[in-house]
Amino acid sequence: MITRKHDLRNFLSLVTFLFLFSAVAKAGNGITLYTPYTDISAPPGESIDYAIDVKNYGGQLKNVDIVLSGMPEDWSYTLKAGGYSIHRVAVLPGEKKTLSLTINVPLKVDKGKYRLKVIGRNYDVLPLVIDVSEQGTFKTEFIADQINMEGHSKANFNFTTKLKNHTGEKQVYSLLAKAPRGWNVAFKPNGRQATAVEIEPGKTTNITIEVKPPSQVASAAYKIPIRATNKYSSAELELEVVITASYNIELTTPTGLLSSSITAGREKKLDLMVVNTGSGELNNITFNSSKPKDWEISIEPDTIPLIKAGASTQVHATIKTADKAIPGDYISKITARTPEISSTTSIRFLVKTPLLWGWFGIMVILGTLGAIYYLFQKYGRK
């Protein structure tokens, strides 16, 4: 009795299996498409990988064309098997082939469910659902605490900026500056100099931008476009540096030599060079001097109306020593002065004895020797 019940149960199971197999085979005409995960949640920018089995339940070799239907605009996918991109697969009776399907969700995408279909043409359809979990965007934000700075040409300008990644995945941005020729721009993400920065999705990185102008740059306002960019997204920021005039003056000689010799009581002419080493014009340059007692110093011309930035003008100094100046070294100081700046140079003079005084000294010595000789001749014999 027990044996009959067992046989009856096996018979019913076999009938049920054959019925289901027949229904499946009939529904797919011998081909079934299968993947275990048909409803997946993913953020913007995600790549979703599916392993799709193509099973042949029929008794003959099947060539199956595989297509994807319902792909939204700007989405992309790859379908591979055996390392090759494919569009058709051949499956022997009773066997299966596994395909690799990768669907790339774009960064800029609306939140919601997206329904796709993998179709084995003339055989079976595999529905897939991708639930995009958040609103996606390509947006990158680049802002600065202050976009305008002012200073002289020898100053360094440090701008504090923030770069925010609003996309749904990690981004690597190249940092670029289009500065005028001769300017130097350095990026320092989180305090370290670099030309690129990596930012996680939804995160912000602090970037210090150091701008250094050329030393001889003219006074003006300069625009410096800044870009953070990659193949998905970019952001721009325009900085402005206003260069104010810097005033600097140098007083020297054409040769750079600041020493000379002069005879006591005589005059000597000396060429001087006034150089504008700043970035602004120098107006109304005047001169004064500090000299030893009873010396005279005059400058011709005594006033220079204008010297442009980087230019120079030559003047002539006339120096006259005191008549009774003792031979030796003397220091005279000459100052070139404007309302903004001044420069003082010290010139060392070696004072020599006049030639007449030299002959007079020789005559005195000779006279003294002659007197001694005379006295010796007259009284020496006694």
Side-chain angles (χ1 to χ4, degrees):
M1 187 70 177
I2 295 174
T3 301
R4 288 180 180 178
K5 287 183 178 179
H6 181 72
D7 291 342
L8 180 61
R9 186 181 298 116
N10 288 340
F11 175 74
L12 292 174
S13 297
L14 178 61
V15 170
T16 302
F17 172 77
L18 290 174
F19 174 78
L20 292 175
F21 177 81
S22 176
V24 169
K26 185 176 181 181
N29 198 13
I31 293 294
T32 298
L33 304 180
Y34 170 78
T35 188
Y37 310 109
T38 58
D39 193 333
I40 293 177
S41 178
E46 187 79 357
S47 293
I48 305 170
D49 296 319
Y50 296 91
I52 298 177
D53 292 335
V54 183
K55 298 182 178 181
N56 185 354
Y57 291 102
Q60 296 179 347
L61 173 70
K62 301 289 185 181
N63 286 295
V64 184
D65 292 327
I66 306 295
V67 296
L68 238 67
S69 174
M71 284 287 291
E73 188 179 357
D74 296 331
W75 290 46
S76 64
Y77 74 94
T78 58
L79 184 64
K80 292 186 176 182
Y84 300 98
S85 296
I86 65 158
H87 301 286
R88 176 183 295 178
V89 61
V91 188
L92 291 170
E95 293 189 358
K96 70 176 182 178
K97 294 294 182 181
T98 300
L99 312 180
S100 176
L101 172 64
T102 300
I103 297 178
N104 302 308
V105 181
L107 289 170
K108 189 174 183 180
V109 64
D110 291 332
K111 179 180 179 181
K113 288 183 179 291
Y114 293 82
R115 303 182 187 278
L116 316 175
K117 293 178 182 179
V118 181
I119 299 173
R121 187 170 291 164
N122 300 324
Y123 292 103
D124 197 12
V125 175
L126 175 62
L128 299 176
V129 177
I130 298 176
D131 184 6
V132 177
S133 57
E134 59 186 83
Q135 187 73 20
T137 178
F138 278 125
K139 184 180 179 184
T140 299
E141 188 178 13
F142 208 172
I143 60 174
D145 294 345
Q146 182 178 349
I147 62 171
N148 175 284
M149 287 191 181
E150 182 177 306
H152 58 79
S153 60
K154 295 184 179 180
N156 287 340
F157 301 89
N158 295 322
F159 294 87
T160 301
T161 67
K162 299 179 186 295
L163 184 62
K164 185 170 184 179
N165 176 13
H166 286 283
T167 68
E169 65 178 22
K170 179 170 62 178
Q171 300 290 337
V172 177
Y173 297 96
S174 296
L175 303 172
L176 307 170
K178 193 175 181 180
R181 183 178 178 180
W183 291 61
N184 183 52
V185 179
F187 297 94
K188 292 189 175 181
N190 298 317
R192 302 184 67 179
Q193 185 166 336
T195 57
V197 60
E198 183 178 88
I199 306 178
E200 297 293 332
K203 300 297 183 181
T204 300
T205 294
N206 296 322
I207 302 176
T208 299
I209 302 177
E210 294 186 355
V211 179
K212 186 175 182 180
S215 59
Q216 296 298 323
V217 67
S219 303
Y222 295 87
K223 303 288 187 181
I224 304 174
I226 304 295
R227 272 187 91 199
T229 184
N230 61 23
K231 65 179 181 179
Y232 300 110
S233 177
S234 65
E236 296 183 355
L237 182 65
E238 187 174 71
L239 305 178
E240 183 181 55
V241 173
V242 179
I243 299 296
T244 57
S246 63
Y247 298 101
N248 202 12
I249 188 173
E250 181 182 2
L251 180 62
T252 184
T253 63
T255 62
L257 184 64
L258 297 176
S259 62
S260 185
S261 60
I262 191 171
T263 302
R266 301 286 180 84
E267 290 183 355
K268 185 156 191 177
K269 293 187 180 296
L270 188 68
D271 291 333
L272 298 175
M273 189 73 69
V274 185
V275 186
N276 182 353
T277 56
S279 62
E281 293 182 349
L282 295 177
N283 297 280
N284 193 30
I285 301 109
T286 58
F287 301 90
N288 56 29
S289 61
S290 172
K291 53 191 181 297
K293 184 179 180 181
D294 297 329
W295 285 45
E296 296 177 7
I297 297 179
S298 61
I299 307 293
E300 182 63 34
D302 58 358
T303 302
I304 303 174
L306 171 68
I307 304 179
K308 292 185 176 181
S312 62
T313 297
Q314 187 167 301
V315 296
H316 308 284
T318 301
I319 299 96
K320 182 180 179 182
T321 67
D323 292 335
K324 297 181 180 180
I326 299 173
D329 287 335
Y330 293 81
I331 299 294
S332 295
K333 295 181 179 181
I334 301 175
T335 300
R337 187 183 307 277
T338 74
E340 298 84 12
I341 196 73
S342 65
S343 175
T344 298
T345 187
S346 298
I347 304 174
R348 181 183 298 275
F349 290 97
L350 174 62
V351 175
K352 299 179 178 180
T353 303
L355 185 60
L356 178 62
W357 282 99
W359 282 110
F360 179 76
I362 293 173
M363 295 299 293
V364 170
I365 293 171
L366 291 176
T368 302
L369 291 175
I372 293 172
Y373 178 78
Y374 170 76
L375 293 174
F376 179 78
Q377 290 292 329
K378 183 175 181 179
Y379 300 107
R381 294 178 181 178
K382 295 180 179 181

